[in-house]
Amino acid sequence: YKCMAYHYCTESDMDSAPDFKGNCDYIALNRQHMETHIWMLFLFLSLLWTLPICQDIEEASIEEIVLNYHVKDSLNGPAEIIRIALRIRKFIIPYMATGSTIILLITNPVSS
């Protein structure tokens, strides 16, 4: 199946300059085949996905507050690295995880 999907994307008008619409025809075809119950499944899964992400953001915020309390007014190299890691965990990782999940759901044919 994956070979057929790759063949469809490479042989369709997606690579031709005059007809380029800015999207992959395979993904557009998958989106056209999604019915209402599949969109409801996406909504349900997104609500399930929100709770663990919110909990992780909250935990990272609490850990940063505790770190700030223990290393206040000092320039500590390892503490700064941990602070950067906590901010990445709080701000960047949720967007990356959500984006990669959405990409996986849209690029693969969905059936429920």
Side-chain angles (χ1 to χ4, degrees):
Y1 176 77
K2 292 188 186 266
C3 291
M4 288 176 27
Y6 176 75
H7 178 70
Y8 181 78
C9 273
T10 56
E11 296 299 320
S12 66
D13 67 339
M14 144 180 165
D15 293 330
S16 62
D19 293 8
F20 185 68
K21 297 176 185 173
N23 60 3
C24 176
D25 293 333
Y26 177 70
I27 295 173
L29 185 65
N30 275 347
R31 288 188 64 215
Q32 287 176 356
H33 291 295
M34 290 184 191
E35 297 173 359
T36 306
H37 66 280
I38 293 178
W39 286 109
M40 289 174 32
L41 176 68
F42 279 160
L43 179 66
F44 178 71
L45 289 175
S46 67
L47 291 175
L48 283 179
W49 182 245
T50 303
L51 181 63
I53 288 179
C54 289
Q55 288 175 341
D56 192 46
I57 291 171
E58 183 180 1
E59 288 174 7
S61 298
I62 291 170
E63 290 171 6
E64 188 174 5
I65 290 169
V66 170
L67 178 70
N68 288 339
Y69 176 76
H70 286 290
V71 294
K72 59 184 170 193
D73 298 332
S74 67
L75 184 60
N76 190 352
E80 294 301 321
I81 292 172
I82 292 174
R83 184 176 287 125
I84 290 170
L86 288 172
R87 289 189 181 170
I88 287 173
R89 183 175 149 201
K90 185 167 51 172
F91 294 117
I92 296 174
I93 290 179
Y95 291 113
M96 296 292 203
T98 304
S100 62
T101 304
I102 289 170
I103 288 170
L104 284 174
L105 289 174
I106 290 178
T107 56
N108 292 326
V110 179
S111 62
S112 60

